[in-house]
Amino acid sequence: DIKNEFIGNITHELKTPIAGIKLNMQTLEKRKLDEEIQMKLIKSSVNETNRLNDLCNNILIATQLENTTKAIYTEDVSLEQILSEVIEEMRARYRDLKIALNVYEEDKIIKGDATIWKLVISNLIENARKYSPKEEPIVVELKQLQGKTIIPVIDRGNGIPDTEKKKIFEKFYRIGNENTRSSKGTGLGLFIVKKIIKMYKYDISVKNNIPKGSIFEVTID
């Protein structure tokens, strides 16, 4: 049952960072460690706390979006600024992350909510990171095509079989099965992305990256 699998995934996702933080704190409490090791343990705990925070945000927002059909138009949102900020946050969090931003058009300003759009981009990058080998770079672009603004998030991971491309935006859906998956997750990230983009009446699609990987493309009129 997909919902039971989701509960199992979420329990794992919550317990893993909690266990990591607890172990770090116990080590700091029991031993006199040199400053460098202390800083490593503290940094690890901060990263695990960020992971918990992301997970809680995704669960809360997924629940809120369930019954929401109206987009929030509260401010002018600079897409270039959103992309830059999210990428900087990701670089700070994952020191070994290889990620590039290529801007091919003048900044695009849309009416919306900056926090929600940051969530869209961070979930797309997080998805690319999760399914890509560490040594393979992720590329995010801002460009124009036939009068529309396109934001591709390009990875060189294993790619997505055509049979699964339509399912990946469904709530709780995760690629493969529990035995073959190497990455953990809740199946909420892409559901949230699709739901937000639909609310704003924009579009998202996924296609194969050649020779390998996937391209998630947000299209804004």
Side-chain angles (χ1 to χ4, degrees):
D1 175 84
I2 202 162
K3 206 156 193 175
N4 286 340
E5 194 180 294
F6 166 73
I7 291 163
N9 289 338
I10 232 156
T11 306
H12 174 89
E13 289 281 299
L14 287 166
K15 278 188 166 182
T16 306
I18 289 168
I21 294 163
K22 186 178 179 181
L23 184 64
N24 289 345
M25 294 301 109
Q26 285 172 335
T27 309
L28 285 166
E29 184 184 36
K30 285 177 187 169
R31 299 183 191 171
K32 285 190 175 179
L33 302 165
D34 68 56
E35 203 174 325
E36 194 180 335
I37 295 172
Q38 281 185 35
M39 287 312 295
K40 268 188 179 175
L41 290 171
I42 290 165
K43 197 169 273 186
S44 165
S45 296
V46 169
N47 283 338
E48 294 293 4
T49 308
N50 283 334
R51 188 173 153 191
L52 276 173
N53 190 49
D54 287 351
L55 181 64
C56 292
N57 280 344
N58 271 349
I59 294 166
L60 284 169
I61 285 167
T63 308
Q64 288 166 1
L65 289 175
E66 196 79 85
N67 303 312
T68 307
T69 51
K70 286 183 181 173
I72 303 165
Y73 299 98
T74 51
E75 57 194 315
D76 287 338
V77 177
S78 154
L79 291 180
E80 188 175 344
Q81 190 179 335
I82 293 284
L83 295 175
S84 299
E85 284 178 13
V86 171
I87 286 170
E88 280 312 302
E89 285 167 20
M90 287 287 186
R91 281 185 183 139
R93 188 179 303 184
Y94 305 111
R95 293 290 175 187
D96 56 355
L97 181 67
K98 292 181 179 176
I99 187 163
L101 173 62
N102 298 329
V103 178
Y104 296 110
E105 74 151 317
E106 277 188 45
D107 192 15
K108 172 82 173 175
I109 309 292
I110 60 168
K111 281 281 181 199
D113 177 272
T115 306
I116 277 183
W117 279 96
K118 280 180 86 167
L119 190 68
V120 166
I121 303 304
S122 63
N123 270 325
L124 286 173
I125 295 172
E126 189 62 62
N127 185 70
R129 186 197 69 82
K130 213 180 273 184
Y131 291 100
S132 299
K134 278 183 184 177
E135 66 277 5
E136 294 289 6
I138 295 163
V139 178
V140 183
E141 297 179 344
L142 180 65
K143 60 185 184 181
Q144 210 169 41
L145 196 68
Q146 296 171 338
K148 294 182 178 183
T149 297
I150 313 283
I151 303 171
V153 177
I154 305 159
D155 69 60
R156 293 187 195 166
N158 296 326
I160 301 161
D162 289 343
T163 51
E164 303 210 29
K165 281 189 175 74
K166 284 180 183 173
K167 299 177 189 171
I168 54 170
F169 295 106
E170 291 172 12
K171 195 175 184 183
F172 307 146
Y173 189 80
R174 295 179 60 237
I175 292 167
N177 59 49
E178 284 307 304
N179 299 323
T180 59
R181 286 186 200 119
S182 58
S183 74
K184 287 291 174 186
T186 57
L188 287 177
L190 292 178
F191 163 76
I192 288 169
V193 167
K194 175 84 171 182
K195 185 89 175 170
I196 291 169
I197 287 169
K198 265 183 91 173
M199 274 165 46
Y200 279 91
K201 296 183 172 59
Y202 298 141
D203 196 31
I204 184 162
S205 60
V206 59
K207 58 188 182 184
N208 295 332
N209 187 19
I210 308 298
K212 64 171 185 167
S214 302
I215 302 172
F216 282 80
E217 229 169 48
V218 180
T219 303
I220 293 168
D221 294 335

